[in-house]
Amino acid sequence: MTSPTDKPNDGGVPLPVVPAGATSGAPAEFPPASPAGRGMFGNQGTGDVSGYGGLVRQRQPIEEASRPYGGYFDEVRDALEEAYPAFNDAIEKVVVDRGELTLHVRPERIAEVCQVMRDDLALRFELCSSVSGADYLGADERRLHVVYLLTSMTYRRRVRLEAAVSVEAPHLPSVTAVYPTADWQEREAYDMFGIVFDGHPSLTRILMPDDWEGHPQRKDYPLGGIPVEYKGAEIQPPNERRSYQ
Amino acid sequence: MTTSNYASERETDEGRVFTVTGGDWDTIVSGTDPINDERIVVNMGPQHPSTHGVLRLILELEGETVREARSVVGYLHTGIEKNLEYRNWVQGSTFVTRMDYLAPIFNETAYALAVEKLLGITDDITERATTIRVLMMELNRISSHLVWLATTGMELGAISIMLYGFREREYILDIFETITGLRMNHAYVRPGGVAQDVPDDAVVKIREFLKMMPKKLKEYEDLLSGQPIWTERTKNVAVLDVTGCVALGITGPVLRSAGLAWDLRKTMPYCGYETYEFDVPTHPDGDVWGRYQVRLAEIRESLKLVEQALDRLRPGPVMVADRKIAWPAQLAIGVDGMGNSLEHVAKIMGQSMESLIHHFKLVTEGFRVPPGQVYVAIEAPRGELGVHAVSDGGTRPYRVHYREPSFVNLQALPAMAEGGLIADVIAGGASLDPVMGGCDR
């Protein structure tokens, strides 16, 4: 028997090397470390013979928004600042992009911020619509992000809270005490990304089998798959096909 | 030890375990000691006709009363969100349509709206494409509610309504087949518009359907509403009030059946819903009966919307003008479903080298989407269907997360079932209308 790491794409075991396609571009906030380079025919370059392959595309970093944000965003920020004394410590960054407001929250403060967002009369975000994870591999030490989408039914507003943690210490407080609906969604984020929500009533896997190893939606977890024969030709699994960058 | 073929028993560390396959409860009843051992744990599913797919319930019973209920999901997890990250943005439609298989048009539309918002082309979507999306979504809402009516009827013992619900759904699937080439999993709504125009014979079919459907609705109501078994099994069963719904994140007909008129088509409109005339039905009771009433009323409202959308259809393009985003192939329906139209193939292969290059680039590589993240939510038949999409500036989604109403709503099952009778677990679960393909993704 070979050790699990010798067998790529055998399902369930994350590889030490980053699989092809997993880093199909770096996270939005940072330029890519190494574009392209993996593909069929043993090609190590970009595969581009047009001459345009040498162009380096500059990615615009997503920057902190400046006041006024426009719309109800200013009101939300002011109300939170007024109702929550530790605002300056808790909120790392405010981003307005594509008509959506994102508050980047220090992870240890997330439950407190949610409590204020729900209970303050000027905020009233009663519904936690969605909790999801995202893995920004290679971007930052704190690559695992948890994204909360809060909805105010009273004022018909939405706001996004984002908290980032590292893989080594993927801990942040659970918001289930504030929003019971976050229960299963936090379990999914744990299952898929290995983010640990402290204080969650029963943080177990929810979509993958209980004895599964690894967290499948991390970017360094291979997609897996087997080649398929179709009309005499062999089609590689999607993560081994030639990818354009 | 019994030797029954239907209910064998064995001793384990945690007590005596019965395996029931043929519903032979006598063995269990005679095998338990009701004085010293009051509680039994029943595992229901994941293969069970009345759990709406592969949902597993673990029920702790005291007599016929449910003391604790826990649902176990994940049996239909197919890793769609992970797979999306390895395909280009357009290919994503073919994946997301397979999530909630009773509401494919909603999955596609939510995805398309999210990609369009990332691209910043929301305002460029043509009038006709948006109207077709509304038309298709509302037809889909009717077909989804019909399946709900059919399966819930069957689970509560009304077999006729099951046949009738599926029968009328066939009309809608026929219409879908005429328009998209497929009955399910259409990949019809794409980023930038819709895959192709609505043919004239589909309009005729929809008009026929609009004429027929109100009579059928009357028929369903005649069958169910006054029937004592149906009312006994639905009224005051699995009650959940507005507070409970909002705390647990329950949206859609279940929330409206508790009395809150929260419908994203009205409260946070998209696709021009603010210009249509329709009502948001609610019910004060928050029980299974209320959900039944709300869903029937929603079918009526959807019929109104379909009619208005049909009247608004004006000739025009169904894709954005930007050829870099619009799928370059002019698709057409052939005998084996939707594919490249022959004229388009003739053009790129025989007449225009430039067209061929563009076709090749867009089909193999796809278009680039500027980096950033968006959240788009629409009102699906089961509630708020949200898409959290992240782009890194490349040709593939960096992360797509679906906020599936089936997944979130199923959390309400313990709140509805605990303290009630075991028979009402079925009614309560069915009234949530979970679709496991959507729940587990």
Side-chain angles (χ1 to χ4, degrees):
Chain A
M1 275 298 285
T2 52
S3 73
T5 48
D6 294 337
K7 294 190 293 174
N9 306 324
D10 203 21
V13 184
L15 292 175
V17 289
V18 179
T23 54
S24 63
E29 298 183 31
F30 287 84
S34 159
R38 294 164 302 276
M40 298 197 305
F41 317 123
N43 173 28
Q44 292 301 308
T46 61
D48 179 24
V49 292
S50 68
Y52 286 99
L55 289 177
V56 177
R57 295 186 323 118
Q58 283 290 331
R59 281 166 208 214
Q60 290 290 324
I62 292 174
E63 280 163 2
E64 172 139 24
S66 55
R67 304 290 291 264
Y69 307 134
Y72 59 83
F73 299 162
D74 294 279
E75 284 174 41
V76 170
R77 191 211 155 115
D78 291 340
L80 183 63
E81 211 163 358
E82 200 187 311
Y84 185 51
F87 181 88
N88 288 327
D89 178 50
I91 307 296
E92 297 175 328
K93 197 157 90 165
V94 181
V95 175
V96 176
D97 181 37
R98 292 175 171 88
E100 294 181 15
L101 174 69
T102 309
L103 304 175
H104 289 258
V105 182
R106 200 176 291 283
E108 56 270 24
R109 298 278 193 179
I110 189 73
E112 295 169 20
V113 173
C114 282
Q115 184 84 51
V116 178
M117 293 293 271
R118 190 193 71 177
D119 294 342
D120 187 71
L121 291 179
L123 292 165
R124 279 189 183 262
F125 286 89
E126 306 97 340
L127 178 68
C128 177
S129 282
S130 164
V131 180
S132 66
D135 179 8
Y136 293 97
L137 176 68
D140 194 344
E141 186 61 16
R142 299 190 297 156
R143 58 179 250 214
L144 300 176
H145 289 216
V146 188
V147 181
Y148 304 81
L149 210 294
L150 308 185
T151 305
S152 167
M153 291 173 144
T154 310
Y155 299 112
R156 298 188 182 172
R157 292 168 172 174
R158 287 192 194 276
V159 65
R160 181 187 294 116
L161 306 179
E162 195 163 335
V165 294
S166 67
V167 171
E168 290 71 35
H171 289 269
L172 74 168
S174 164
V175 301
T176 43
V178 187
Y179 296 116
T181 180
D183 183 346
W184 281 19
Q185 305 186 58
E186 285 185 352
R187 280 176 66 190
E188 189 188 334
Y190 162 72
D191 193 355
M192 292 298 159
F193 295 94
I195 300 162
V196 180
F197 297 88
D198 298 319
H200 188 285
S202 61
L203 196 67
T204 52
R205 288 189 182 276
I206 185 160
L207 294 179
M208 302 302 285
D210 289 341
D211 55 354
W212 195 263
E213 282 178 40
H215 300 283
Q217 283 197 2
R218 283 192 182 173
K219 284 286 177 182
D220 50 7
Y221 189 99
L223 179 67
I226 53 163
V228 178
E229 196 188 304
Y230 181 68
K231 293 194 174 177
E234 197 170 84
I235 316 291
Q236 292 121 314
N239 57 332
E240 287 171 29
R241 289 177 206 159
R242 182 173 182 164
S243 66
Y244 294 86
Q245 299 298 324
Chain B
M1 280 294 208
T2 56
T3 51
S4 164
N5 289 331
Y6 299 108
S8 60
E9 60 168 279
R10 63 199 153 85
E11 294 293 336
T12 68
D13 295 345
E14 291 167 23
R16 198 178 299 167
V17 170
F18 296 88
T19 306
V20 183
T21 48
D24 189 354
W25 289 88
D26 289 346
T27 321
I28 293 180
V29 172
S30 59
T32 50
D33 173 4
I35 293 160
N36 298 317
D37 191 13
E38 286 179 339
R39 293 196 171 194
I40 59 168
V41 180
V42 170
N43 174 65
M44 190 176 132
Q47 299 289 344
H48 193 281
S50 56
T51 55
H52 261 58
V54 281
L55 169 66
R56 179 180 166 205
L57 299 171
I58 300 166
L59 307 169
E60 201 174 309
L61 304 177
E62 211 174 84
E64 275 201 61
T65 309
V66 179
R67 286 298 169 211
E68 270 196 77
R70 290 290 176 272
S71 29
V72 182
V73 300
Y75 292 95
L76 216 52
H77 178 60
T78 43
I80 291 179
E81 288 176 5
K82 175 91 173 170
N83 268 292
L84 284 175
E85 294 166 16
Y86 292 81
R87 307 299 207 290
N88 65 38
W89 287 95
V90 169
Q91 285 173 311
S93 332
T94 55
F95 277 82
V96 297
T97 190
R98 283 160 169 79
M99 289 183 174
D100 181 344
Y101 43 79
L102 291 184
I105 302 284
F106 289 91
N107 303 336
E108 294 167 20
T109 307
Y111 177 76
L113 290 174
V115 178
E116 285 155 10
K117 195 170 180 187
L118 275 169
L119 284 164
I121 57 165
T122 307
D123 296 332
D124 302 336
I125 306 306
T126 63
E127 176 73 44
R128 189 173 171 88
T130 304
T131 312
I132 293 175
R133 284 176 182 180
V134 170
L135 176 77
M136 296 293 277
M137 277 195 284
E138 294 310 320
L139 282 171
N140 200 173
R141 192 185 310 278
I142 299 171
S143 75
S144 176
H145 281 350
L146 283 175
V147 173
W148 174 80
L149 191 68
T151 52
T152 305
M154 180 186 67
E155 282 156 19
L156 300 186
I159 301 295
S160 318
I161 197 70
M162 190 267 280
L163 298 171
Y164 295 165
F166 276 108
R167 185 184 67 191
E168 266 71 82
R169 173 175 177 255
E170 279 302 305
Y171 280 91
I172 297 179
L173 296 188
D174 264 358
I175 294 168
F176 283 170
E177 194 176 357
T178 315
I179 295 173
T180 71
L182 293 164
R183 286 154 51 87
M184 295 171 85
N185 306 334
H186 316 280
Y188 176 70
V189 182
R190 310 234 175 146
V194 295
Q196 58 183 324
D197 212 342
V198 173
D200 292 338
D201 53 335
V203 177
V204 178
K205 273 189 182 172
I206 298 171
R207 294 266 184 221
E208 276 170 18
F209 176 75
L210 287 176
K211 229 176 272 167
M212 174 210 60
M213 199 55 207
K215 284 180 226 149
K216 302 287 182 185
L217 282 170
K218 177 87 181 22
E219 213 174 293
Y220 305 154
E221 276 179 330
D222 289 347
L223 261 175
L224 292 178
S225 294
Q227 194 210 52
I229 300 174
W230 181 258
T231 44
E232 282 288 304
R233 292 220 52 193
T234 56
K235 280 191 176 167
N236 294 320
V237 166
V239 178
L240 195 63
D241 62 3
V242 174
T243 318
C245 283
V246 174
L248 291 164
I250 315 302
T251 46
V254 182
L255 176 60
R256 292 191 283 274
S257 79
L260 185 65
W262 180 262
D263 186 323
L264 292 175
R265 293 175 293 175
K266 284 278 189 206
T267 54
M268 295 178 171
Y270 53 92
C271 285
Y273 269 111
E274 65 275 19
T275 60
Y276 291 85
E277 269 192 36
F278 66 103
D279 296 326
V280 177
T282 57
H283 199 272
D285 294 349
D287 55 3
V288 178
W289 173 260
R291 287 160 211 152
Y292 157 70
Q293 293 286 335
V294 164
R295 286 198 175 93
L296 274 188
E298 277 185 18
I299 295 181
R300 294 211 164 85
E301 296 304 318
S302 290
L303 288 172
K304 277 197 227 166
L305 281 160
V306 170
E307 193 160 6
Q308 291 173 50
L310 216 49
D311 291 340
R312 283 185 192 196
L313 275 185
R314 299 277 173 276
V318 295
M319 254 290 172
V320 286
D322 186 350
R323 303 296 290 170
K324 291 280 179 196
I325 292 165
W327 191 244
Q330 302 301 312
L331 298 179
I333 294 179
V335 283
D336 56 348
M338 189 165 59
N340 289 327
S341 82
L342 290 176
E343 295 96 88
H344 177 69
V345 174
K347 187 181 175 215
I348 60 171
M349 298 308 286
Q351 294 166 24
S352 169
M353 185 68 180
E354 280 293 307
S355 298
L356 179 61
I357 294 169
H358 278 287
H359 180 97
F360 181 73
K361 284 284 277 182
L362 283 171
V363 171
T364 56
E365 185 180 345
F367 52 78
R368 283 172 198 282
V369 174
Q373 60 178 335
V374 293
Y375 180 84
V376 171
I378 64 172
E379 186 70 32
R382 277 158 274 285
E384 176 174 337
L385 178 70
V387 178
H388 173 225
V390 185
S391 174
D392 62 347
T395 56
R396 298 163 168 203
Y398 190 77
R399 164 99 173 106
V400 176
H401 174 73
Y402 263 64
R403 184 262 188 218
E404 253 293 333
S406 298
F407 182 73
V408 178
N409 290 3
L410 257 182
Q411 295 184 92
L413 195 62
M416 287 179 175
E418 285 173 8
L421 295 176
I422 185 169
D424 295 342
V425 174
I426 307 296
S431 72
L432 287 169
D433 193 15
V435 173
M436 300 316 287
C439 174
D440 296 343
R441 286 153 289 145

